[in-house]
Structures are given as C-alpha cells and as structure tokens.
Amino acid sequence: MIRLKDISKSFDGNEVIHDLSLEVPQGKTVVLIGPSGCGKSTLLRLMVGLLWPDRGNISLFRENLTKNNVEILRQQVGFVLQDGGLFPHMTALQNIRLMADFLNHDHDATNNRITELHELTHIPKELLKRYPSELSGGQVQRIALMRALMLDPQILFLDEPLGALDPLNRVSLQDEMKTIFNQLGKTVVLVTHDMGEAASLADLIVIMKDGYLLQYDTLSTLSTDPADPFVTEFINAQRKPWQQLEDQIK
Amino acid sequence: MKNLNLYLILILSFPFTPPAQADPTSEIRIGSKKFTESVILGEAITQHLQVNGFKASHMDQLGGTRLLWKALVQDELDIYPDYTGTILYEILQDEEISSNADIQVALAQHGVSITDPLGFNNTYALGVTPQTAEQFSLKAISDLRQHPELRFGFTNEFMDREDGWPSLRDHYQLPQTAVRGLDHDLAYKGLQAGSIDLIDLYSTDAEIAYYQLSILQDDESYFPDYRAVILYRTDLLDRVPSIQTYLNQLAGVISETEMIDMNSQVKLEGRSEAEVAQSFLSLKFNTLSEIVVSSRWDRIISTTSEHLFLVCLSLGAAILVAIPLGIWGARNATLGQVILSIVGIIQTIPSLALLVFMIPLLGIGGPPALVALFLYSLLPIVRNTLSGLTGISIDVQESARALGLPAPARLKMIELPLAARSILAGIKTSAVINVGTATLGALIGAGGYGQPILTGIRLDDTSLILEGAIPAAILALLVQWSFDLAERTFLSPGLQMKQESTS
Ligand SMILES: Nc1ncnc2c1ncn2[C@@H]1O[C@H](COP(=O)(O)OP(=O)(O)O)[C@@H](O)[C@H]1O
Ligand SMILES: [Mg+2]
C-alpha cells in the first residue's frame, strides 16, 4: 500500500533520514515511534509529498509519488496533525465539507457521509456550527479526523493526533480511534512518542532513532527479539510507569 | 480686523486639468507660485488677457520655481511670472550670463521668452525686529559679523539656492551657525515669538510694514535685482500672435509701493487676489474684468470631490497592485525583502521632488498627484499582505496542502481569508495616510483639501486652514469607521473570536 525505498532527506546539508526503506501493508495500522527529533514527522511528510526525498522513491497505491500526481494522491489519503490543523476562518462543518464541495461532490451524498462520520466519531451535531476557536482540543481532533475521513480515503496519516490532549481525553479518543480503524479497515500510519498508545493501536511498530529505522515488527517480537539494545531500552523506559502500577495492583 | 466674508470671493481653481496638448484653440494656461505676490501677478495676467478677449485660466499657488519652470518648458503652462534674479541664479544657474540680452538668448534655447520688467524690484532682504536692531545696533548686513550668536531662520529656498545663504555668508564673511530652514509664513511668526532673530524676506512683503521690521542695508551690495517679469512659451505667439501686445502692456506699470500695497490688501486686509488684481487693472487700464465668486460651501463641495477623486482612484490602484506584490513576496523570503525595500524607498522620496520628477511624464494637475499618492499607498498594503500570508501557522498551511487543494484554491479559500484581517488593516492605514497626503495635490494643481490649507497658511487665515483641515480630518475618521465596519462585516467570525480571546 505504501512503499518507501532507500529514502534519504537532509535539511540545510544535515541528513535527518538515512537510507530508510519501509512497506506498510494494506489495512494495517503502523505506528512510528522514537525519541523526539528522530525524524518521525519528516518521514510522514515525505509520504504525503509535503516534503521530497533527496534520494530514493515513495509509492502510494503502487503509484510512484511525483509532483505531477501528488495533488490527486493527496485527495485519496487523510492527514491529521497534532493541533488538528483546522482552518480557523471556517466552521467545523465547513472544514469537513471543504474538499467534497471543492470537488463538486453530490450534495446529498456529502450530507449522508457527514451523518455516517457523526456516528463514527460521536460528535454532537450542534458542534459543527462552531468555529475551531470555540471547540475543545478533543473536539478539534475529532473534527480533524472527520475532515480526513470525509472522502473515504484508503490511507490515513496521523502525526501525534493525541499529543495535545489531556490524559483523560487522550485515553477516550485513543479507544475511539482504535474502534474506527478496526471498523473501517483503513491503512493507517500514526506517529507518536508514547509507547502505550503504540501498544494499543499498532499492528506493527517502527522504532526510529536519529533518522534510522532500528526495527519494524509487532510489539511482542520487539520485546522478545529486539534488534538493538535501544529498542529494549525504549520499550522499558516507557513501560515503567505501567509496570509499577500493575505491580501495585497485584 | 479681517473680514472673513471677503474671503468668500476667491477664484475657484480648476479641478483636474489633463496634460494639455498643443491646441491653438485651447486655453492659455497661466501659473503662479505659492506666495501671495505671485498669485496676484498670475491673477492680474489672467484677468488682463480675459478682459481683452482671450481664453485664459489660472493655476494658482503651484509648488515652486522648479515645478513652474518644468511645467512651462514641458508645455504644461504657457505663462507664469518670475523674477530676473531667480531666472539668473536658479533657472539658468549652469549657464554663463552677463547681461539681460544674454538672459533672453539663454531662455530662447528653452523655447521661452520674457517681457520687460513689470516695474518693482522684489529682491531678497534680511529683516529683524526693531528691538533686535536696537539691542545689537544693527543697521547693515556687515554689522552681523559682530554677533555670531544671532539665530537665523531662512526659507528653505533661500537656504539652498545659489544666490542664497551659502554665498551671502561667504560674501559678508558671516560667522553665524544657528541657521534653520523654515516656511516663509512661519518665519514671521518665529520672529515675533523670539525663537529666531533674523529672517530673509522679500522687499515687497506686506509684513514689513505690518510688523514694522527693520531691513538691514545691503552695504556690500550682494543681492542682485529681482525684477518681476512675465515668462511665456515662445510658441504661444504662433498660436495667438496678438498676445505679445497685451503681455507687454503690463511691463513697467507696477511700482514697488503699489506691489507692497496689493500684497498687504490680500495678506492683511483679507481681500482676495482676484479682487485686488481686478481693482489694480481697472485703475491702470480702465477695464473691469469678471471674477468668479464662490461660496464657502461651493468650495467645500468642489474640494471634497477633488479630494475623494484623488484618494479613491490612487488607493484603488494601490490595492490592485500591492496585494499581488505582497502575495508574490510571500512566496520567497528574498524576493519579499526586495519588494519591501523598493516600496519602502519610494516612501522616503520627498513629495515635492516626486511631483517635479513626474512633470515630464505626466504634466501637472490630477495625474502626477494620483501617481504620487498611488506610490505612497503601496507600502502598508504590501507589508501587511506579506506578513498576513507568512504569519499563517505551518499546521494550517500543511493541512491545506495535505488535503490536496491546488495552489490557486489554497490562496483563495485559505490563505487570503486568513490574511484578510492584516490586509484590511494595511488598506486602512494606507487610506488614512492617503487622505492626509492628498492635501499635497494642491501643490501641483490637483485641488483637494490642500487648496484652502495652502491658501490659509499663506494668508495666515485660520478659518481657511480649517476649511481644508476639518473635512480632511472628518474624511479620515469616516475612512477609519468604514474599515472597522467592513472588518466586522466581511471578516469570518472565527477570526474575530480568535482576536477577542487573545486580546
Ligand atoms: N523544515 C525543517 N528545516 C530544518 N530542519 C528540520 C525541519 N523539519 C525537521 N527538521 C529537523 O529534522 C529532524 C527530525 O525532525 P522531525 O521529523 O520533526 O522529528 P520528530 O517528529 O521525530 O520529533 C530534527 O532534527 C529537526 O530539527
Ligand atoms: Mg514530530
């Protein structure tokens, strides 16, 4: 579904992604995780053509991503940012409808789709009249998700979609997303630096460090068969609080 | 002391004269400089021609010597009064001239002729208050050498010109260093207020008598003759050959006392230049010329329409050019800097210099004023468009791209609406500045609120200054209000709430 082959990317002569290859199978949720600054967002942006690699190539739906087809391909994927990236001058509804209206989709079909998304994301209808500045962080992320899903894309990219939320909202939206991803069977690439989130959502996990892909595997393989001491270190560092909690309960 | 009603009798000055092409049937265009004597002379020439059956119009109180001379040479004017000294030392300063005959030859090379002197000599002189004269026992210019502490306030023109302060100082070896340039009419006030001790003045100034100033004797004969003459385009004689006779009729008829008297009738008794010129002509030639009398309201209506015309057209054009420039500059940081520097530099060009520079291209009247206002209006709009666009958060910009919106649609649906508040604020700033700057239009004959302000300053008539200043201030307020209203009406509520929550 998504293929990255020998990708390198530098900013101002500073290479931040080194010779990285990755394949994301259809219908799976792949989580990119690693310390801050390791290149997760850069990698995600490369996959949507918001950035271009210095070397290597990227294909979506078996099609090579080029400047000519990037706009068409983008219309077939969804993208959600940490702060939602909603357009502040439009209401939630206008944000959601924007692309459907821009592409002159049938009005009734668009309305039906919005009703569907409602049920999926549990957003009360009245909220759609509001502007982003009148919505809470969790609401903004749900609207951003609705906007990303509007055209029923096969692939969904999310860059720390829960990063700006308080823990309570975080957990509930995380559960919701899990349900949605399972229900829709989309191919999902999600960036996070939270191992708990990765554990809960991912079919496959990519552990990154300093622009290198250290290991790409299921969570259980990562813990039983780590490719690098850093993988264990990273998993354990993040699991500590949970383990402590579990120990206490026991 | 002043009878304000008499001001109501003022010749209404011509709105927008397009750059006139040579046309034998067209009006004879007379210009005058922005001081009273020049306006009276321009008025006298105009009325004398009119009463003798010519079609003549007077563009009064234009910018200054450079502007008038340029306008004459570029065939924007046919006639204007000037002084032999000015011609010699300012207009023809680069040419070697020793006699009056040489002046005529030199002027002829520019296609310009002059009449014989009109009579009086309006030379430069230095004046002090009687108290200063007594305190420092000043009788002649050479006496100034003993008092280096004296503060001089000279007209900007006198400060700069070749026959002005620098060579006067060299000629008399004057030691003074506290020398300021200021407006002629303000100089008298400064002298009265004691903020300066000595000013330059013209020997026919009405104020000499009024303030009882002491004129310092030019004991080492420095100042040249400044005899009034009429300059006219030689090719005017091809169009209307008979005109030479009538212009020459004015030669030798105005004595120094008569000129001082006419100046003080206007400046001190509050009569209009048109009236004063009319009385003088009827005394000398037994003619009665017609003058147009307009009420204060008529004038306000016409200056308002001229002013609105200048502001709306120049601002509209500036918006159409500046927003695309800002969009272009926002694409690339280096390009943006270049564009901003260029429109920034334009902003620093002094307005009179800009107007004079444009005479060869656009003549005088509305067009050069419009172009100058247009140029001055660019910066705030370009700057705000650019900063409004570059200030959009990366998240929002990336979201718009990631949705698959093509660049033109992003600009129209996302970027411009988000920059709208900033762009609107830039247009508002430009509009308010423009309303004020448009008063400069009067310097080049484009009319507007500057007309009464200029005349009011010249005649020290507060009510006339207010006649321009008050409507200009009201217009500026209206502009401000209408933009605030537009902001509330057209700006997305989503953006307005954002401002409320951050403020
Ligand atoms: N636009 C950019 N210009 C220069 N350097 C950048 C840019 N974007 C990211 N970087 C650098 O690339 C590296 C990876 O950044 P990023 O992909 O955002 O990391 P992550 O999302 O994993 O925290 C960092 O060192 C960051 O400073
Ligand atoms: Mg990141």
Side-chain angles (χ1 to χ4, degrees):
Chain A
M1 201 65 181
I2 305 169
R3 247 178 88 114
L4 279 71
K5 187 103 183 63
D6 302 328
I7 294 295
S8 298
K9 173 70 186 172
S10 5
F11 291 112
D12 315 316
N14 206 352
E15 195 168 277
V16 299
I17 302 285
H18 315 281
D19 223 10
L20 192 147
S21 298
L22 176 70
E23 256 183 74
V24 178
Q26 177 164 7
K28 299 286 182 204
T29 297
V30 171
V31 170
L32 307 182
I33 192 164
S36 173
C38 70
K40 306 180 294 290
S41 299
T42 305
L43 202 58
L44 202 69
R45 277 161 181 70
L46 285 165
M47 295 186 207
V48 209
L50 288 172
L51 294 172
W52 297 95
D54 303 335
R55 283 189 308 278
N57 64 66
I58 298 166
S59 62
L60 296 179
F61 316 104
R62 300 211 166 71
E63 221 184 303
N64 253 345
L65 187 64
T66 66
K67 296 207 169 157
N68 290 327
N69 62 13
V70 64
E71 256 149 31
I72 301 290
L73 287 177
R74 276 178 192 156
Q75 289 168 14
Q76 301 167 42
V77 306
F79 191 82
V80 177
L81 288 160
Q82 175 167 339
D83 295 319
L86 295 186
F87 304 126
H89 63 299
M90 297 180 175
T91 62
L93 184 63
Q94 288 169 327
N95 266 283
I96 295 168
R97 302 184 59 103
L98 177 69
M99 282 314 286
D101 291 344
F102 176 74
L103 298 170
N104 290 319
H105 284 191
D106 176 70
H107 206 76
D108 291 339
T110 304
N111 288 339
N112 291 342
R113 176 70 183 153
I114 291 172
T115 313
E116 266 173 53
L117 292 172
H118 260 300
E119 287 158 11
L120 209 60
T121 54
H122 309 297
I123 281 273
K125 260 214 150 98
E126 316 84 75
L127 280 190
L128 295 194
K129 287 190 226 102
R130 299 208 187 157
Y131 286 92
S133 55
E134 302 167 295
L135 297 170
S136 73
Q139 291 165 341
V140 165
Q141 290 309 81
R142 284 178 172 85
I143 302 287
L145 195 59
M146 283 178 77
R147 182 174 74 178
L149 290 169
M150 182 67 213
L151 300 181
D152 200 12
Q154 287 313 297
I155 309 178
L156 211 51
F157 294 101
L158 304 102
D159 191 352
E160 307 208 25
L162 308 175
L165 303 185
D166 59 86
L168 224 60
N169 254 306
R170 213 180 156 112
V171 171
S172 77
L173 190 54
Q174 184 182 310
D175 291 345
E176 266 172 57
M177 283 191 346
K178 194 177 161 85
T179 321
I180 293 171
F181 296 161
N182 287 339
Q183 211 172 327
L184 299 180
K186 305 279 181 207
T187 307
V188 176
V189 181
L190 184 143
V191 168
T192 181
H193 55 256
D194 180 78
M195 201 60 210
E197 207 172 298
S200 141
L201 292 169
D203 296 315
L204 290 162
I205 294 177
V206 175
I207 304 243
M208 288 181 68
K209 188 190 173 202
D210 298 336
Y212 291 101
L213 187 158
L214 290 188
Q215 193 166 5
Y216 179 30
D217 255 318
T218 59
L219 178 61
S220 56
T221 318
L222 288 177
S223 33
T224 54
D225 194 6
D228 186 293
F230 177 79
V231 173
T232 314
E233 202 185 315
F234 190 78
I235 296 176
N236 288 342
Q238 299 243 344
R239 281 170 70 182
K240 240 174 213 149
W242 294 100
Q243 243 156 18
Q244 281 169 2
L245 193 67
E246 277 165 28
D247 293 348
Q248 275 173 22
I249 294 168
K250 277 177 200 162
Chain B
M1 183 184 70
K2 286 177 185 168
N3 184 345
L4 293 180
N5 288 327
L6 286 176
Y7 282 132
L8 299 181
I9 311 165
L10 266 181
I11 290 238
L12 187 63
S13 31
F14 26 67
F16 315 105
T17 320
Q21 307 304 319
D23 168 8
T25 61
S26 71
E27 288 196 322
I28 298 164
R29 300 151 302 173
I30 294 111
S32 59
K33 300 191 200 176
K34 59 174 177 131
F35 55 88
T36 300
E37 184 170 295
S38 187
V39 178
I40 297 173
L41 292 176
E43 200 46 54
I45 298 166
T46 310
Q47 289 182 25
H48 188 61
L49 294 179
Q50 282 170 342
V51 84
N52 286 296
F54 295 94
K55 230 174 114 190
S57 69
H58 182 198
M59 303 188 91
D60 63 354
Q61 47 188 2
L62 299 175
T65 303
R66 283 274 133 225
L67 199 145
L68 268 295
W69 171 252
K70 263 243 159 85
L72 186 71
V73 171
Q74 302 283 341
D75 200 12
E76 294 295 330
L77 286 174
D78 297 306
I79 297 175
Y80 86 91
D82 215 329
Y83 303 87
T84 51
T86 312
I87 298 171
L88 215 47
Y89 299 102
E90 198 176 356
I91 296 175
L92 302 175
Q93 56 178 319
D94 299 329
E95 298 169 40
E96 302 231 332
I97 289 159
S98 51
S99 71
N100 272 0
D102 285 351
I103 291 188
Q104 295 193 358
V105 172
L107 288 177
Q109 288 180 350
H110 298 278
V112 172
S113 303
I114 51 172
T115 62
D116 286 337
L118 304 184
F120 63 93
N121 180 17
N122 182 4
T123 188
Y124 272 111
L126 301 184
V128 295
T129 59
Q131 296 86 327
T132 308
E134 195 175 330
Q135 186 186 345
F136 297 94
S137 37
L138 300 174
K139 287 200 170 52
I141 298 180
S142 57
D143 295 336
L144 294 171
R145 287 186 203 123
Q146 268 69 57
H147 303 285
E149 72 278 19
L150 288 174
R151 296 155 305 166
F152 293 176
F154 292 140
T155 53
N156 292 312
E157 194 170 3
F158 188 70
M159 290 285 283
D160 294 340
R161 50 196 288 166
E162 189 167 315
D163 57 341
W165 164 243
S167 55
L168 173 73
R169 180 187 53 205
D170 295 348
H171 188 88
Y172 275 97
Q173 297 293 314
L174 296 179
Q176 285 76 9
T177 52
V179 181
R180 283 199 287 158
L182 70 171
D183 191 82
H184 195 51
D185 299 285
L186 297 177
Y188 284 110
K189 300 216 178 79
L191 197 63
Q192 285 308 106
S195 58
I196 45 180
D197 302 311
L198 177 143
I199 61 173
D200 66 304
L201 37 76
Y202 306 113
S203 55
T204 52
D205 274 357
E207 288 86 347
I208 298 175
Y210 182 73
Y211 292 111
Q212 300 183 313
L213 299 183
S214 306
I215 301 301
L216 302 186
Q217 195 198 331
D218 184 14
D219 52 338
E220 291 172 13
S221 53
Y222 170 74
F223 288 120
D225 270 2
Y226 278 82
R227 297 203 174 267
V229 291
I230 300 173
L231 292 164
Y232 58 95
R233 292 183 57 80
T234 311
D235 62 13
L236 182 62
L237 300 182
D238 301 334
R239 267 166 60 195
V240 267
S242 56
I243 204 164
Q244 195 168 21
T245 321
Y246 295 100
L247 290 178
N248 283 332
Q249 280 177 356
L250 292 168
V253 298
I254 311 173
S255 73
E256 224 147 288
T257 350
E258 282 168 325
M259 197 64 240
I260 293 179
D261 182 46
M262 284 197 275
N263 284 335
S264 70
Q265 283 184 47
V266 174
K267 295 203 77 166
L268 308 176
E269 291 163 35
R271 301 181 70 202
S272 74
E273 293 89 351
E275 269 189 304
V276 170
Q278 185 192 40
S279 320
F280 179 79
L281 291 172
S282 85
L283 191 77
K284 293 282 171 177
F285 300 100
N286 218 359
T287 55
L288 187 62
S289 41
E290 270 177 44
I291 55 178
V292 182
V293 178
S294 63
S295 75
R296 186 180 288 265
W297 280 114
D298 287 346
R299 287 200 313 270
I300 291 178
I301 288 166
S302 84
T303 52
T304 300
S305 68
E306 290 158 0
H307 209 86
L308 281 177
F309 175 82
L310 288 174
V311 170
C312 294
L313 212 62
S314 61
L315 185 68
I319 292 171
L320 290 181
V321 171
I323 292 181
L325 276 180
I327 293 171
W328 201 31
R331 296 262 160 87
N332 173 321
T334 323
L335 185 66
Q337 277 312 312
V338 171
I339 291 175
L340 272 185
S341 322
I342 292 173
V343 289
I345 287 167
I346 291 175
Q347 205 81 0
T348 65
I349 305 173
S351 47
L352 196 57
L354 190 58
L355 291 174
V356 169
F357 174 75
M358 282 188 302
I359 291 178
L361 307 167
L362 297 163
I364 54 179
L370 283 170
V371 172
L373 288 173
F374 159 79
L375 290 173
Y376 288 139
S377 297
L378 291 175
L379 181 62
I381 309 178
V382 172
R383 192 181 46 207
N384 279 32
T385 305
L386 207 149
S387 68
L389 288 174
T390 50
I392 297 174
S393 82
I394 305 278
D395 268 11
V396 167
Q397 291 183 39
E398 278 197 332
S399 293
R401 289 170 62 206
L403 281 174
L405 277 179
R410 287 202 300 270
L411 186 66
K412 181 172 153 242
M413 298 164 71
I414 313 290
E415 292 161 5
L416 284 179
L418 286 177
R421 173 193 294 282
S422 172
I423 296 174
L424 214 55
I427 297 176
K428 177 163 84 175
T429 309
S430 264
V432 172
I433 293 175
N434 194 316
V435 167
T437 315
T439 53
L440 292 171
L443 289 176
I444 195 161
Y449 294 138
Q451 199 81 30
I453 294 176
L454 214 61
T455 314
I457 292 174
R458 178 163 63 74
L459 299 178
D460 191 16
D461 177 349
T462 313
S463 85
L464 212 49
I465 295 176
L466 292 178
E467 183 184 311
I470 290 176
I474 292 174
L475 185 59
L477 279 177
L478 282 177
V479 164
Q480 196 132 11
W481 285 334
S482 51
F483 274 94
D484 291 344
L485 186 72
E487 189 167 301
R488 280 197 298 273
T489 319
F490 296 117
L491 218 57
S492 154
L495 299 176
Q496 304 194 15
M497 283 179 284
K498 195 172 160 198
Q499 192 203 29
E500 274 159 28
S501 63
T502 53
S503 61

